[in-house]
Amino acid sequence: MIYLQKGLRNNKLAEINTDLSDWQWLIKQAASKAPFVNSIEKANKYKQNQAKFIITGKLESQQRNDTSLKNRSIIFFDIDDTNGDDYKASIHRIKSVLKEIAYLIYPTISNGYKGTRLRVAIPTDQSFNADKRYKIGSYLVDLLPKDWQTDLTSYRSNWSQLAGMPVLNAYSLEHNDQPVINDITGFLSLKKIPIQDNLITMNPLHKQTTSPIKQLTRTDHQSWQDITNHALTSLVNPPEANRHICYSSLVGSLLFMKTDPSVIETLLFWSNEHSNNPLAKDELERTIKSVSRTAERRQQING
């Protein structure tokens, strides 16, 4: 099912009735043109009032939240930092790693005014829930350039997040940054993803099926002492595999404990340095920033 919403100020989702599949419907949509959007301020205003946002999957009610959204049929993810690659160079690099998978790549409303900003949509051969989405994200992030910043590994904390539809601002129109579609190859096969079912249960911190920030608020299920013990254990004994997931959960745990951001950074860098398979420094920095931004957005929304 396709659910459409106009503007972030409006929280009403409209069901789209069509005989097409979710993916067929999506790739038939032409990009909206917004030549008057020529700054960050105008881009933000456009998102609030005019931009079209979408969810594809199954909602149990018209109320969009992490509980009511049961599954999705298309993976949407953002690329917020391409480390200097412009839109066309970024497209070329994405196409080279996703050449056997169907995809839609398009510039976001902020493209050009916040650097290169892209969104990628990938259809899957079966629907997936929040837990599977996080595992798929971990698989996809390993395909992309390591110096890029995406929301692939922090997405589980935003399971019901809307995805903006293709739109071309003044910069995208001037530079001819157009959407790119590959609908010739097959959908992403979830069965072929080389990820074990126990990917996120390698230590007690990874038992949650939602964001560590959200899950850890359930103090009736997990005591402060347990949270602290789990965090310290993972810091002292960092894993050699699935490091992004481990450190994302650690940041969420430490933020929940109201640890100062500078202390969080110091602790994770120390832990990473003592790992047998450490992340690159800039990679770890992006992980910390990504989860911290998610926590900040949740605080702004939920208070």
Side-chain angles (χ1 to χ4, degrees):
M1 178 63 71
I2 303 162
Y3 304 88
L4 201 64
Q5 176 176 309
K6 184 176 181 180
L8 292 175
R9 294 185 185 277
N10 174 23
N11 60 2
K12 295 181 180 179
L13 290 171
E15 292 186 13
I16 303 297
N17 294 315
T18 175
D19 293 332
L20 301 174
S21 69
D22 294 352
W23 176 246
Q24 289 173 328
W25 181 89
L26 177 63
I27 61 176
K28 284 182 177 295
Q29 306 308 302
S32 300
K33 295 183 179 180
F36 58 91
V37 176
N38 57 8
S39 67
I40 294 174
E41 292 74 20
K42 289 184 179 180
N44 289 335
K45 186 176 180 181
Y46 183 88
K47 285 194 291 186
Q48 293 297 318
N49 300 291
Q50 295 173 261
K52 294 179 180 179
F53 295 89
I54 187 176
I55 279 186
T56 61
K58 181 182 179 183
L59 276 168
E60 282 196 336
S61 67
Q62 292 298 98
Q63 186 67 32
R64 178 180 63 87
N65 55 50
D66 288 353
T67 301
S68 62
L69 181 59
K70 296 305 178 183
N71 59 60
R72 283 180 177 264
S73 59
I74 300 174
I75 297 170
F76 289 90
F77 62 90
D78 291 344
I79 298 175
D80 297 324
D81 182 3
T82 58
N83 198 30
D85 288 341
D86 64 13
Y87 182 81
K88 292 178 177 60
S90 302
I91 291 290
H92 178 74
R93 298 184 73 178
I94 296 171
K95 289 169 67 175
S96 67
V97 298
L98 299 183
K99 56 187 176 183
E100 297 181 358
I101 304 173
Y103 55 74
L104 167 65
I105 309 170
Y106 54 93
T108 72
I109 188 62
S110 300
N111 181 51
Y113 307 111
K114 288 186 177 181
T116 302
R117 293 292 187 270
L118 312 121
R119 183 166 292 116
V120 182
I122 296 177
T124 58
D125 63 345
Q126 57 183 284
S127 60
F128 53 91
N129 58 21
D131 187 47
K132 289 181 180 178
R133 170 60 179 79
Y134 196 57
K135 296 176 183 179
I136 298 166
S138 298
Y139 166 71
L140 290 173
V141 78
D142 285 336
L143 299 179
L144 296 170
K146 301 303 180 187
D147 55 357
W148 284 9
Q149 181 175 311
T150 78
D151 61 357
L152 278 168
T153 54
S154 64
Y155 200 99
R156 192 170 58 179
S157 58
N158 295 284
W159 166 238
S160 59
Q161 180 174 315
L162 294 163
M165 291 286 285
V167 58
L168 304 177
N169 62 19
Y171 181 93
S172 298
L173 289 168
E174 180 183 354
H175 293 80
N176 198 29
D177 291 347
Q178 297 289 332
V180 175
I181 300 172
N182 172 27
D183 61 346
I184 299 175
T185 52
F187 288 9
L188 176 62
S189 174
L190 301 191
K191 291 182 179 179
K192 292 183 179 179
I193 292 178
I195 297 178
Q196 301 300 317
D197 290 339
N198 63 350
L199 173 67
I200 57 173
T201 58
M202 57 189 173
N203 68 47
L205 269 180
H206 300 139
K207 290 182 179 179
Q208 58 260 30
T209 56
T210 55
S211 160
I213 298 166
K214 182 176 180 180
Q215 178 77 11
L216 292 174
T217 59
R218 302 175 184 174
T219 52
D220 55 326
H221 294 294
Q222 191 172 25
S223 69
W224 278 93
Q225 184 177 4
D226 286 340
I227 296 170
T228 304
N229 287 341
H230 293 157
L232 291 175
T233 299
S234 296
L235 281 167
V236 175
N237 298 298
E240 294 185 27
N242 306 318
R243 295 155 297 163
H244 289 92
I245 300 173
C246 176
Y247 285 131
S248 293
S249 292
L250 269 172
V251 176
S253 300
L254 293 168
L255 285 171
F256 177 73
M257 292 187 282
K258 301 188 183 301
T259 308
D260 186 90
S262 62
V263 175
I264 293 176
E265 189 169 292
T266 299
L267 288 172
L268 263 70
F269 276 115
W270 177 88
S271 176
N272 189 51
E273 288 173 0
H274 289 77
S275 170
N276 291 330
N277 186 23
L279 289 173
K281 181 179 178 181
D282 58 346
E283 227 175 322
L284 183 56
E285 286 176 344
R286 288 195 296 272
T287 298
I288 296 172
K289 289 178 182 178
S290 178
V291 179
S292 298
R293 285 197 300 266
T294 297
E296 185 177 356
R297 286 196 298 268
R298 281 191 169 277
Q299 188 174 17
Q300 292 174 348
I301 294 171
N302 301 324

